[in-house]
Amino acid sequence: CLLASPGFSATPEPQSDQAKQIKTLVDKAAALIESKGKCAFPELRKKDSEWYKGDTYVFVDDMNGTVLLLPTEPELEGKNLTDMKDATGKLWMRAFIETAKTKGSGWVDYMWPKPGKDKPSKKISYIKKAKMPDGKMVFVGAGMYLE
């Protein structure tokens, strides 16, 4: 059993227009995943589409912490990142899973490099649980960089 630790405190919901757009994007992507499953992945990978524009992109992970879709770093797909820490030592994947499992959706802040960069930047992502047509539970997310 995974107990909620102080490290997994909920991030307050940002009120910016960009945050609202990201939430809408994730809700839409989650609905697409629920209806099409992995068949939606090629669409979600397309650069300069509604799903992947500039620094904003949709990602999909399973409830065990395995990356299913990461358009900016496809080399991480199929890898389990449960124990990966960000620059501050935060176990961000565990925070994603905890948020999806306990609340169904929510915001998580962590450090992650912007597409094409090596240095991590402060990022906040909206995570939403979804059920694929084959019954597999996953979560869909997208985020915005705060710096």
Side-chain angles (χ1 to χ4, degrees):
C1 244
L2 210 74
L3 295 170
S5 69
F8 296 123
S9 59
T11 300
E13 182 160 341
Q15 297 303 315
S16 66
D17 285 344
Q18 189 184 8
K20 288 180 180 77
Q21 289 166 352
I22 283 175
K23 198 170 175 179
T24 301
L25 182 70
V26 170
D27 287 344
K28 216 168 147 185
L32 189 65
I33 294 282
E34 290 190 334
S35 69
K36 293 174 79 177
K38 287 188 175 172
C39 296
F41 287 7
E43 201 176 319
L44 296 173
R45 275 184 214 286
K46 271 190 206 138
K47 216 171 172 156
D48 299 319
S49 69
E50 71 174 302
W51 312 111
Y52 181 5
K53 200 179 292 155
D55 286 345
T56 305
Y57 53 90
V58 170
F59 55 87
V60 183
D61 302 311
D62 73 14
M63 290 298 186
N64 299 317
T66 300
V67 178
L68 303 178
L69 173 81
L70 185 58
T72 56
E73 295 181 70
E75 65 278 8
L76 291 177
E77 291 175 10
K79 292 197 165 71
N80 186 297
L81 303 183
T82 313
D83 295 324
M84 187 186 252
K85 292 178 181 173
D86 73 4
T88 67
K90 182 171 187 166
L91 291 161
W92 52 271
M93 180 64 83
R94 291 183 189 203
F96 285 177
I97 294 166
E98 185 74 13
T99 299
K101 279 185 177 171
T102 59
K103 296 195 302 211
S105 66
W107 292 90
V108 177
D109 64 288
Y110 58 109
M111 301 291 287
W112 191 260
K114 291 181 182 177
K117 303 276 187 244
D118 294 327
K119 190 175 99 48
S121 297
K122 193 164 173 53
K123 185 174 185 177
I124 182 167
S125 287
Y126 182 70
I127 305 298
K128 182 173 179 137
K129 188 162 66 171
K131 187 178 186 177
M132 302 230 282
D134 64 4
K136 183 176 184 149
M137 295 306 292
V138 298
F139 59 86
V140 181
M144 58 188 187
Y145 292 91
L146 303 177
E147 54 182 32

